[in-house]
Amino acid sequence: MAFFDIEGYEPVWLSGLETIRRAHGDRLRALAGQRLRHVHLTWFVEYGEWLSDAPVVADFGADRLEITHWKFDELSLTWNTIDPYGKSSWDWGDPAEPSPLRWRQDVFPELSALEGQVLQDVELLQSVSHDMAGGMVALGFVFPRGRFTVFNALDENGIEFTEPDSSYRRHSLAG
């Protein structure tokens, strides 16, 4: 069974800045200069809310980056395994009482405002806090008129739209 019954999606969990940079740094760097089409989030229809445990899918046209945080410091970055256009809704969970899920692009107006902009930089943001989040790696996406960060919100994804604060050490991949 696939993660959240998302056809074709199997997360690959990594921890630590250098491990993530070695595995995905070149490909993340290559996103710079590409135009953001959409950011797809999984919508929990029954509760009318974002299912933040499921992957965040950043669509740059030729590449779709799938981001999922888990536990305290694990991050999965996969590429082009989820097609939010081909299957926009599906049932998840107990077949007797399934929970309908669907992809949405309009959950956060801040994300919608970034659509069509060219990505300037991808940042690996390493938490330097002295708590459970210490060492966790978030991804920051920098555009001419805004940014978003996908971070570990304790065993699920969180999204922020402001500059990272001093609890992060920034590692630009643009050079």
Side-chain angles (χ1 to χ4, degrees), residues 25-80:
D26 290 342
R27 200 150 182 200
L28 290 168
R29 183 179 306 105
L31 289 176
Q34 293 189 36
R35 195 170 299 279
L36 179 67
R37 291 179 61 193
H38 301 288
V39 176
H40 301 271
L41 302 174
T42 303
W43 190 251
F44 203 159
V45 175
E46 182 178 351
Y47 296 108
E49 64 185 28
W50 170 38
L51 180 60
S52 54
D53 294 317
V56 172
V57 180
D59 183 354
F60 289 93
D63 285 307
R64 282 189 308 271
L65 172 60
E66 302 134 2
I67 308 160
T68 308
H69 285 91
W70 194 41
K71 297 185 180 177
F72 295 116
D73 67 344
E74 294 187 23
L75 172 63
S76 174
L77 300 177
T78 55
W79 300 84
N80 302 314

Side-chain angles (χ1 to χ4, degrees), residues 3-167:
F3 196 74
F4 283 99
D5 290 341
I6 300 170
E7 190 174 317
Y9 179 64
E10 294 292 337
V12 178
W13 303 111
L14 300 173
S15 296
L17 176 72
E18 289 309 316
T19 301
I20 293 166
R21 187 190 329 241
R22 272 193 309 276
H24 296 283
D26 290 342
R27 200 150 182 200
L28 290 168
R29 183 179 306 105
L31 289 176
Q34 293 189 36
R35 195 170 299 279
L36 179 67
R37 291 179 61 193
H38 301 288
V39 176
H40 301 271
L41 302 174
T42 303
W43 190 251
F44 203 159
V45 175
E46 182 178 351
Y47 296 108
E49 64 185 28
W50 170 38
L51 180 60
S52 54
D53 294 317
V56 172
V57 180
D59 183 354
F60 289 93
D63 285 307
R64 282 189 308 271
L65 172 60
E66 302 134 2
I67 308 160
T68 308
H69 285 91
W70 194 41
K71 297 185 180 177
F72 295 116
D73 67 344
E74 294 187 23
L75 172 63
S76 174
L77 300 177
T78 55
W79 300 84
N80 302 314
T81 64
I82 296 174
D83 181 4
Y85 304 101
K87 189 172 184 182
S88 61
S89 63
W90 67 101
D91 289 330
W92 165 66
D94 182 357
E97 293 185 42
S99 299
L101 302 175
R102 70 182 185 103
W103 293 112
R104 284 194 48 187
Q105 306 162 10
D106 60 352
V107 173
F108 295 111
E110 298 93 337
L111 286 176
S112 297
L114 298 172
E115 292 175 357
Q117 291 190 47
V118 174
L119 183 66
Q120 293 179 317
D121 192 7
V122 178
E123 297 174 327
L124 296 178
L125 303 167
Q126 182 182 29
S127 173
V128 293
S129 65
H130 298 287
D131 56 17
M132 289 185 288
M136 176 274 299
V137 177
L139 264 74
F141 298 88
V142 181
F143 296 89
R145 293 178 308 283
R147 67 171 296 127
F148 74 98
T149 299
V150 183
F151 66 96
N152 188 322
L154 296 181
D155 202 31
E156 63 186 17
N157 294 306
I159 298 179
E160 295 179 323
F161 304 99
T162 58
E163 290 290 321
D165 63 28
S166 62
S167 67

